[in-house]
Amino acid sequence: MLRSEKERVVEQLAERLRSTETLMVADYRGLTMPEIDELRSRLLEAGARFTVVKNTLTKRAAEQAGTTDVLQLIDGPTAIAFLEAEGDPVAVAKVLSEVARAHDVLVIRGGILEGNVVGEAEIKRLATLPATDVLRAQLVGALSAPMATVVGVFSAPLRDLVGVLQARIGQLEAEGEASPEPEAAAEPEPEPESEPAAEAEPAEAEPEAEADEEPPVDGEES
């Protein structure tokens, strides 16, 4: 590669690193060119540009852009999925995870979400979340805030949802680690003691039947 060509590549990488707050890094060695092209097409549909980069040029670009945090993810053959402004980080993570399962040669190293460096485990957990549109619908359904907040959720760029996604990841982890203890059965409340029944007054003795009165016969009225 000519020096002028290298400088052009470094400038392009530096511009992407400056303008992209969310990206994911993978080791692509072992993938064939048709497989890389297929992966690039799927990631493009999810809103990310998959770029195979040389480590030396990436390091120069990161230093030029002032984003050296990404350098800790650069080791060996490297490809970077740069999310576009309207890209879906969940969809990108899903594509990378699916390809990594299908082709053992693809290894997810990690990424940067909203300027924060994350590892492979965080990217894979991100891939387990519902699609961003579904997640938005769930969030809106659970919101008890004023309507202005709901409108803000719909109008905010997708990159602003990364904080919500990270919080959701934490919630999933907590739900997986803590199993709720069964609630103790409520003890029955003691029934109020009944008041002692009032003693019945002795009934007045009925007058004895006169000796000459005959008892009634079955079928006849007395």
Side-chain angles (χ1 to χ4, degrees):
M1 184 183 293
L2 298 176
R3 182 175 180 179
S4 59
E5 181 68 13
K6 290 181 180 179
E7 291 178 352
R8 184 181 65 82
V9 171
V10 169
E11 181 60 35
Q12 289 178 346
L13 282 174
E15 178 59 29
R16 285 189 179 180
L17 289 171
R18 277 192 294 263
S19 60
T20 304
E21 294 184 349
T22 299
L23 57 85
M24 299 177 195
V25 181
D27 185 335
Y28 68 92
R29 78 181 98 192
L31 289 179
T32 64
M33 285 306 300
E35 290 170 343
I36 291 176
D37 289 340
E38 180 183 358
L39 176 57
R40 182 178 286 113
S41 298
R42 291 184 62 185
L43 288 172
L44 191 60
E45 292 177 359
R49 293 186 176 276
F50 192 65
T51 305
V52 175
V53 296
K54 289 184 177 293
N55 292 352
T56 54
L57 300 183
T58 303
K59 291 177 181 178
R60 287 174 54 187
E63 292 171 355
Q64 182 175 325
T67 56
T68 54
D69 287 345
V70 72
L71 296 180
Q72 57 188 284
L73 302 173
I74 305 299
D75 182 22
T78 301
I80 303 178
F82 294 93
L83 265 78
E84 303 290 340
E86 296 301 324
D88 186 344
V90 174
V92 173
K94 285 182 184 294
V95 171
L96 290 175
S97 295
E98 289 172 3
V99 175
R101 286 195 300 267
H103 305 280
D104 293 336
V105 292
L106 181 71
V107 178
I108 300 172
R109 293 206 189 112
I112 297 179
L113 299 180
E114 285 293 294
N116 299 315
V117 179
V118 298
E120 175 189 3
E122 285 76 14
I123 299 299
K124 289 185 175 180
R125 279 196 291 268
L126 185 63
T128 64
L129 295 178
T132 301
D133 290 343
V134 176
L135 185 59
R136 273 182 167 174
Q138 291 177 350
L139 290 173
V140 171
L143 282 175
S144 58
M147 183 56 67
T149 304
V150 178
V151 174
V153 171
F154 280 113
S155 61
L158 283 178
R159 61 176 179 271
D160 293 342
L161 287 177
V162 173
V164 177
L165 296 175
Q166 290 175 325
R168 176 62 173 154
I169 289 174
Q171 182 183 356
L172 290 175
E173 290 177 338
E175 290 177 355
E177 293 174 358
S179 57
E181 298 182 356
E183 296 182 0
E187 296 183 358
E189 296 182 0
E191 296 183 359
E193 297 182 358
S194 57
E195 297 181 359
E199 296 183 0
E201 296 181 357
E204 294 182 358
E206 296 181 356
E208 295 182 359
E210 295 180 0
D212 59 353
E213 182 178 349
E214 295 181 359
V217 180
D218 291 343
E220 296 182 0
E221 293 182 0
S222 57

